[in-house]
Amino acid sequence: MSSENPPSDPMSSTTSNPAPPTSSQANETTNTTDNSVSATSEDAVSEVVSIVGDVAPSIVGGFFSDMASHLGDLIDGTDGNAPVPKEVVYNTFFIVLGAFSAQLIFFSVATNLTLFTKEFLDYGYSEAQTTEIIVFAINILLFPIIGLISDSCTGPYSVMHVGGVFCLLGTCVFPLISFDWAQYGPQYGLPIYQRQIYYFIGRLLIGLGVVAINTTAPPFAASQVERYGDAVLQTFFHILYSALQFAPLIAYTSLTFVQTRVSFFVGFVIVVIVNLGIMGFFVYAKDYYKTTHQAVCSTTPAVTVAKVAHKTVTGSLKSTCGNLCSWIRDKISCTSCPSCLSSTVVDDMEVVVDETIPLIGVLDPGPTTASNDGGGITADTSQPGPALLAAPPPTTPPETPPKYYGRINVQNFASVSGISEDMVVSSLKILYASLLLSALLPYGIVRYQTSSSFLEQAQHLRPQIFGRAISPDIVTSILPAVGVALAPIVNVYVYPYLSEHLVSTTVSFRTFWGLVCATLSVLFAAAVESARLNIIADGGSSVITSGDGIEYVVSDLSLVYIIPQYLLMALADVFIYIAGLEFAFKQSLQLLPATLTGIFFFYFTLGHLVGILLVPAINALTEGDEWYPPDINNGHLAYYFLVLAAINTVNTVVVYVLFKGFDYVNGQVDESADDGGTTANNTATQPQQPQRTVTS
């Protein structure tokens, strides 16, 4: 259940508003609440597609032509990069197909989950939600653990293969519990308690499989194409994102139609067949995949990074404590505090804190050591007089300034810890990358709103777009389609234009502006919500009957006004999600690529879980006049959106500060190394200039 709300993310469609469901409340785990809604989603998608086709067929055709030309240039190497062999393209395609399969399996279960659990498990809303949150929390913890297993021992292929098997086994459970075995006799029917047990086992298996594939597939596929240049690598991540977005799009339309119009059993059988076919392709290309892991299990990189992390954190804490003690000593004129030092010893290692050095900065090797020609006494026999003359006093060679990375004395650290200087620097880069990825947690909170509060808001607007009746649930169903369309547009048109005329589109640049777009999205949602309530207060409302026969009040404000906030969030997702995966892969220096990718998903998915829990927390703080009640017409949802905007604004500022001056690297593997190809360096196979982050 956790792959990330990436795409519509593997982790996002889990649970929505913790309050009891109302006629208008979105189901967080499914994004579709009943048969009528599910049926209209497919019709609405077809309607939108027809509108687009009528409005701009030439534009659409030109886009696909440009995209095909762009991909052709990359593969042929006509754009300056090395040509990509066909077998590499096929291998990468099969890995991406595996990631797509995992997403499809996840959303095939998540879509209509409330309806499924009510029909086959006799679950109420609270029981279904509790089960999903438990599975969700387990999956969050598994992301970095499985990434570490892949990097330290098994390698990405084995983890993906085992993950596919888990997905297959978990998916097979759902046809089992959705089939009416009692038709062959009462003795063959499955009791409710057995169905519930099988369901929980199936959800855990699918969650484990999806986590394994999502953690390893991006770096595994990226390792196939990284040697062919940054342009190819960046395009790959955009293609991967589009593929992951395409999975929920199919689930929200075609699979939803089959599950609700035909049967859940048939829908799950289709997913099982698709999974079997994709696994066959994946195994077929086994002998051609390029891998960089060692054949024998080795935890050396992970242990080294952990050791550096321990000493860095401990040293920073003690240094902070020492500085605080010094400040207190100065205030009280204390002269008897020998423990108050400007530097701190941690496990016999002195961590010198220099406030003039940025927390995250470029490695400064300092000047080279000057040579000493010696000194002593020189005999002078060319002139009469004393045979010996005193030479000038010996000169002391200047000391080599310490080498710092951030505020860490690398040379001192390496000499005390027994770790090479290069490994210390590499470990610090990985640790700082992990720190920067934490920006995904607040963003995940905001991104979760697309399947919860945004959908709730849409269900209280007049269901019309450009004069045509549209189901409110179309905003969630179309969001993945927007991501599929925006990813290649941004990669083919936007980034090249910006790089040529304005600024380099580095990872920090994309992350920064992605966070800005996310903030603007919730601010726009707040404005729409304020206008919606004002219109209702002025009498501009009507009563609509939902598919399940319940009446609720909607504003006369059209559904079209919610489109900009979804477009802004989709654009933010393209910027941040793709940049985050690319950043995790490059900054791992090929030492721990799956681990950093797992940390990426850990933060992103944890943000969704926090988003789920934020609603009851806000309501508890505003008890008596709740901001986000079951019926949002009686609340202040605009205030809730402003809180989200404030959270993301602070996150944006922090990201700007942390990225400023950050030494962005493109880690490659030195395949000529004696240790089996695990030595990291900063030189690509294709000569490339190191990039520097730009945040504005």
Side-chain angles (χ1 to χ4, degrees):
M1 105 156 310
S2 46
S3 64
E4 116 33 35
N5 186 84
S8 177
D9 99 21
M11 38 202 119
S12 79
S13 50
T14 67
T15 346
S16 67
N17 194 349
T22 64
S23 61
S24 62
Q25 193 169 31
N27 180 320
E28 45 189 342
T29 57
T30 68
N31 294 329
T32 52
T33 57
D34 52 53
N35 295 6
S36 62
V37 170
S38 303
T40 57
S41 294
E42 185 188 64
D43 298 337
V45 172
S46 302
E47 184 72 18
V48 172
V49 171
S50 65
I51 292 175
V52 173
D54 294 339
V55 173
S58 60
I59 295 178
V60 175
F63 163 72
F64 282 111
S65 176
D66 291 345
M67 185 63 188
S69 175
H70 175 73
L71 289 176
D73 291 342
L74 288 177
I75 294 175
D76 296 338
T78 55
D79 63 343
N81 291 281
V84 184
K86 290 184 178 180
E87 57 269 21
V88 173
V89 175
Y90 295 151
N91 294 344
T92 306
F93 171 76
F94 290 143
I95 298 175
V96 172
L97 200 59
F100 165 83
S101 175
Q103 290 297 96
L104 183 63
I105 290 172
F106 172 78
F107 282 100
S108 70
V109 175
T111 304
N112 297 315
L113 188 58
T114 296
L115 180 62
F116 174 83
T117 55
K118 179 180 180 181
E119 180 177 347
F120 295 99
L121 306 178
D122 198 23
Y123 271 166
Y125 178 81
S126 59
E127 291 89 350
Q129 183 187 54
T130 301
T131 302
E132 285 300 288
I133 291 180
I134 292 174
V135 176
F136 197 52
I138 293 174
N139 292 342
I140 291 174
L141 298 176
L142 288 175
F143 276 116
I145 295 175
I146 292 180
L148 188 60
I149 293 174
S150 174
D151 291 330
S152 301
C153 186
T154 61
Y157 176 86
S158 298
V159 173
M160 277 198 69
H161 183 68
V162 173
V165 173
F166 277 122
C167 284
L168 178 61
L169 294 176
T171 309
C172 289
V173 171
F174 285 84
L176 174 67
I177 60 180
S178 60
F179 186 77
D180 184 15
W181 298 99
Q183 63 181 319
Y184 298 109
Q187 67 275 19
Y188 297 109
L190 292 176
I192 291 296
Y193 78 91
Q194 288 187 6
R195 293 176 186 268
Q196 293 174 350
I197 294 174
Y198 292 153
Y199 165 78
F200 190 75
I201 293 175
R203 293 294 292 116
L204 285 177
L205 289 174
I206 289 177
L208 180 60
V210 170
V211 167
I213 294 175
N214 280 349
T215 301
T216 53
F220 187 27
S223 66
Q224 310 298 309
V225 299
E226 64 170 333
R227 68 184 75 179
Y228 303 104
D230 281 342
V232 175
L233 188 61
Q234 180 172 300
T235 298
F236 154 74
F237 279 112
H238 283 77
I239 293 175
L240 174 66
Y241 176 82
S242 297
L244 296 179
Q245 287 282 9
F246 194 58
L249 181 61
I250 294 177
Y252 292 152
T253 54
S254 302
L255 280 177
T256 290
F257 178 83
V258 173
Q259 289 176 346
T260 57
R261 294 293 186 88
V262 183
S263 70
F264 277 100
F265 173 76
V266 175
F268 289 130
V269 168
I270 292 175
V271 176
V272 171
I273 295 174
V274 170
N275 191 32
L276 282 172
I278 293 177
M279 284 187 65
F281 281 120
F282 183 70
V283 174
Y284 168 78
K286 174 181 179 181
D287 296 334
Y288 302 98
Y289 293 131
K290 171 185 175 289
T291 59
T292 58
H293 67 281
Q294 300 184 63
V296 180
C297 294
S298 174
T299 58
T300 301
V303 171
T304 301
V305 173
K307 188 174 181 180
V308 172
H310 167 70
K311 289 186 177 292
T312 302
V313 172
T314 307
S316 298
L317 290 176
K318 289 191 176 183
S319 175
T320 302
C321 182
N323 290 338
L324 179 61
C325 185
S326 298
W327 180 81
I328 296 175
R329 180 190 59 189
D330 294 340
K331 292 298 182 181
I332 64 177
S333 301
C334 172
T335 59
S336 59
C337 298
S339 61
C340 300
L341 304 175
S342 60
S343 61
T344 305
V345 176
V346 183
D347 295 339
D348 298 328
M349 181 192 70
E350 185 179 9
V351 180
V352 180
V353 178
D354 188 344
E355 298 298 335
T356 64
I357 301 177
L359 174 64
I360 300 178
V362 181
L363 182 66
D364 180 13
T368 57
T369 304
S371 61
N372 180 24
D373 294 333
I377 300 177
T378 304
D380 186 357
T381 58
S382 60
Q383 299 293 334
L388 298 177
L389 297 177
T395 58
T396 303
E399 295 183 359
T400 303
K403 183 188 299 183
Y404 280 92
Y405 186 83
R407 295 179 182 176
I408 302 298
N409 186 322
V410 175
Q411 294 167 321
N412 196 2
F413 200 127
S415 62
V416 173
S417 63
I419 303 172
S420 68
E421 292 184 13
D422 289 341
M423 281 301 300
V424 170
V425 173
S426 298
S427 298
L428 289 172
K429 289 178 179 178
I430 292 174
L431 292 174
Y432 287 147
S434 302
L435 173 64
L436 291 173
L437 287 173
S438 63
L440 291 164
L441 197 159
Y443 171 71
I445 299 174
V446 177
R447 176 62 175 81
Y448 170 72
Q449 306 309 311
T450 58
S451 58
S452 57
S453 60
F454 281 14
L455 180 58
E456 182 79 10
Q457 187 182 42
Q459 291 175 328
H460 285 78
L461 296 173
R462 181 162 51 89
Q464 268 190 359
I465 294 181
F466 304 128
R468 306 194 184 195
I470 296 292
S471 168
D473 294 275
I474 190 61
V475 293
T476 298
S477 301
I478 289 300
L479 184 64
V482 175
V484 170
L486 282 180
I489 290 175
V490 167
N491 187 53
V492 175
Y493 299 109
V494 178
Y495 288 159
Y497 178 84
L498 292 177
S499 298
E500 182 177 354
H501 297 90
L502 298 175
V503 64
S504 177
T505 55
T506 57
V507 165
S508 59
F509 174 87
R510 287 176 273 164
T511 301
F512 176 81
W513 287 107
L515 293 174
V516 170
C517 289
T519 303
L520 293 176
S521 176
V522 288
L523 285 175
F524 195 92
V528 171
E529 181 62 17
S530 179
R532 187 188 70 82
L533 290 179
N534 288 335
I535 291 176
I536 291 179
D538 293 339
S541 63
S542 57
V543 178
I544 290 182
T545 303
S546 64
D548 52 9
I550 300 177
E551 295 182 346
Y552 55 99
V553 178
V554 301
S555 171
D556 287 346
L557 191 66
S558 171
L559 190 64
V560 70
Y561 289 97
I562 206 174
I563 293 178
Q565 66 200 55
Y566 270 93
L567 291 177
L568 284 168
M569 192 64 74
L571 185 60
D573 212 40
V574 170
F575 283 153
I576 298 174
Y577 188 77
I578 299 174
L581 284 177
E582 182 180 341
F583 178 77
F585 176 74
K586 289 184 174 181
Q587 292 294 130
S588 69
L589 297 168
Q590 281 293 357
L591 294 174
L592 299 170
T595 303
L596 268 189
T597 303
I599 291 174
F600 164 88
F601 282 116
F602 170 82
Y603 283 129
F604 195 83
T605 313
L606 183 60
H608 284 76
L609 182 58
V610 174
I612 294 172
L613 302 177
L614 183 62
V615 173
I618 290 290
N619 286 337
L621 292 174
T622 58
E623 186 176 4
D625 188 18
E626 296 179 346
W627 289 2
Y628 196 165
D631 184 359
I632 62 173
N633 288 333
N634 300 323
H636 306 280
L637 193 59
Y639 298 163
Y640 173 74
F641 288 139
L642 291 177
V643 170
L644 295 175
I647 292 174
N648 210 50
T649 299
V650 173
N651 185 36
T652 305
V653 173
V654 172
V655 167
Y656 179 86
V657 172
L658 291 181
F659 260 120
K660 195 173 182 62
F662 180 71
D663 185 21
Y664 180 69
V665 300
N666 183 10
Q668 304 291 332
V669 171
D670 182 4
E671 297 185 355
S672 63
D674 296 333
D675 60 356
T678 59
T679 300
N681 56 58
N682 293 336
T683 305
T685 303
Q686 295 292 322
Q688 301 171 26
Q689 295 297 324
Q691 300 181 15
R692 287 293 180 86
T693 51
V694 179
T695 52
S696 60

